[in-house]
Amino acid sequence: MKESVNAPAGGLSAVLGATAFAGIVGYAIQLLSVSALPDAARYLSFSVFWSTMYLFGGAVGGVQQELARATHPVAGVLESRNPAARFAILAAAVVGVAAALVAIPLAPVAFSAAPVALSAAFVLGMVGYVLTSTLTGILYGIGQLKVVAALIVSDAALRSVAVLGGLLVGASAEFLAFAITIPFGASVVLVWLVCRRRVVGRFELDLPDAAIARNALRTVGASSAIGVMVAGLPLLFGVFLGGAPVVVASLVMVVTITRAPLIIPLMALQTYLIVLFRDAGSLRTRRLIQVLSGVAAVSVVCVAFGAWLVPGVIDLLSSGRYQVDHLTSACVITSAALVGLMCVTSAALLAANRHNAYFIGWLVAAVLTIGFLALGTIDVAPRALLSLVAAPLIGLTIQLILIVRPRPPQENRS
């Protein structure tokens, strides 16, 4: 028998704290890499591998969202003790093979510093990422938020020790790549050893495996689009804005540093919001408005404060090597706010089982992100800002329209 999700007291606070810790770790790694990697070429190589890993990893993160929506806690212990085990094994195998195939064309571009070793690290990281997504989705679905927090902290802590240590001692590109990717799988093993009894036999899925797989394909597709617009930006900048490495490095730095405070928490909480909206019933619209209003209010403060502060911070951290102005800073932070608002509307669409509408909004935004960057007749910086702001604004508008419109009868029939 299904039960409603009642997260343990302090569960959300624990997830928020864990997300903040992970964000600080990510910040520390990105900031230290600027000074530890002394030239633009090495910095771009590190940033491109990092962004490539999270671009594709973020795509398979769509598995987490679908499993969170489909997973419901049950009273007692089910005889079918782990209905998601087969799904997890199959997903890991498929992702591993797909990652190996993807690494072949990527190696000369994104992994050029050490193609074979970095490709192997990429495949290992992708398998670990899908296992993380599977476990996290189930934990969100049954309300085990404190265990989710433990998984987030374990992953970030392992990565901070490995990557920061490697940067401090001047480690090779190969070492840094494995330091980035190994913690995905290692954290799953550590947390599973502790939480296994809380999970096995304690949940059921609301759809057959085949239907969940179909829905997961759409959430993975949308997550791929999210990855293009977030973690994939350094890679896209390197591809479409070439020929001016200092300008591109400046844009990569300001995007990396300024967008994280808004985007990372909302992306991390998107799965929580799916469950929140799913269980809200007739109050779903009211809760959606409340969350959107809160995010918008925080965003206004961040844009105003960031536009004033960021140029000086960039100049200080880079010792004058990279420069951005106040308008650029404001536009980049505004773009983060728009992506954050899309995370909220996306969660509402998935909670209503509207996978097609969810996918469409992100797909349009991602295609426009690439399309605007490809407009070679516009100068580098204005082109980047147009892509960053206009694409998510259009995607958000589409999702809001689809939320208001009634769901077509044929949508998401399983």
Side-chain angles (χ1 to χ4, degrees):
M1 181 179 69
K2 292 180 183 177
E3 292 185 330
S4 61
V5 174
N6 294 306
L12 179 57
S13 298
V15 171
L16 290 172
T19 302
F21 173 75
I24 291 170
V25 167
Y27 256 124
I29 290 172
Q30 295 296 325
L31 295 180
L32 182 60
S33 68
V34 176
S35 57
L37 302 171
D39 58 77
R42 290 193 64 191
Y43 173 65
L44 285 175
S45 176
F46 175 83
S47 295
V48 166
F49 180 82
W50 178 283
S51 71
T52 302
M53 183 66 248
Y54 281 95
L55 168 62
F56 288 92
V60 301
V63 171
Q64 171 184 312
Q65 296 163 2
E66 175 56 18
L67 282 175
R69 187 209 60 78
T71 300
H72 300 265
V74 295
V77 179
L78 295 178
E79 292 183 7
S80 177
R81 295 176 61 81
N82 197 353
R86 182 172 58 185
F87 180 89
I89 294 170
L90 179 61
V94 170
V95 167
V97 172
L101 295 174
V102 167
I104 295 172
L106 273 181
V109 179
F111 309 148
S112 57
V116 175
L118 270 60
S119 295
F122 173 71
V123 173
L124 181 64
M126 289 296 294
V127 172
Y129 210 116
V130 75
L131 293 176
T132 301
S133 298
T134 300
L135 179 57
T136 305
I138 293 169
L139 292 171
Y140 268 115
I142 61 177
Q144 291 287 342
L145 300 190
K146 289 185 177 179
V147 183
V148 171
L151 182 56
I152 295 171
V153 169
S154 299
D155 175 72
L158 291 172
R159 186 169 294 102
S160 67
V161 171
V163 178
L164 291 175
L167 288 171
L168 289 172
V169 301
S172 65
E174 296 94 324
F175 180 93
L176 292 174
F178 280 101
I180 291 169
T181 58
I182 287 176
F184 293 123
S187 59
V188 170
V189 173
L190 290 174
V191 171
W192 181 249
L193 292 175
V194 176
C195 77
R196 184 178 183 277
R197 291 185 179 181
R198 302 186 192 183
V199 177
V200 176
R202 305 288 181 177
F203 68 93
E204 63 182 1
L205 303 177
D206 63 9
L207 290 173
D209 286 351
I212 290 176
R214 287 195 299 271
N215 284 343
L217 285 176
R218 284 176 284 190
T219 57
V220 165
S223 294
S224 301
I226 297 172
V228 167
M229 299 171 63
V230 181
L233 284 176
L235 175 62
L236 293 176
F237 284 2
V239 172
F240 291 104
L241 305 179
V246 174
V247 175
V248 175
S250 299
L251 288 168
V252 168
M253 189 175 181
V254 71
V255 163
T256 299
I257 291 175
T258 62
R259 282 163 53 102
L262 280 171
I263 292 180
I264 289 178
L266 287 167
M267 288 185 67
L269 290 176
Q270 191 173 23
T271 307
Y272 170 80
L273 291 173
I274 292 169
V275 178
L276 178 71
F277 293 143
R278 182 194 69 185
D279 295 337
S282 60
L283 297 177
R284 183 179 296 163
T285 300
R286 180 179 177 182
R287 286 192 178 177
L288 173 60
I289 293 172
Q290 290 173 339
V291 176
L292 286 173
S293 299
V295 172
V298 171
S299 298
V300 170
V301 175
C302 288
V303 170
F305 185 68
W308 168 72
L309 182 66
V310 166
V313 172
I314 297 292
D315 181 69
L316 177 65
L317 291 175
S318 66
S319 301
R321 284 180 291 161
Y322 308 129
Q323 302 287 332
V324 296
D325 57 31
H326 298 287
L327 178 60
T328 297
S329 301
C331 289
V332 172
I333 300 170
T334 298
S335 75
L338 293 169
V339 173
L341 290 168
M342 284 193 71
C343 289
V344 178
T345 53
S346 296
L349 287 168
L350 281 182
N353 203 23
R354 299 192 62 182
H355 294 74
N356 289 338
Y358 166 75
F359 175 68
I360 289 169
W362 284 113
L363 177 63
V364 170
V367 169
L368 290 176
T369 296
I370 297 172
F372 289 136
L373 286 176
L375 294 175
T377 56
I378 303 176
D379 289 342
V380 168
R383 198 188 332 162
L385 296 180
L386 175 65
S387 174
L388 287 169
V389 175
L393 177 60
I394 294 170
L396 176 63
T397 302
I398 290 172
Q399 288 194 336
L400 287 171
I401 292 171
L402 292 174
I403 286 173
V404 173
R405 291 178 58 188
R407 180 172 70 175
Q410 73 273 15
E411 186 177 359
N412 294 319
R413 285 182 178 171
S414 299

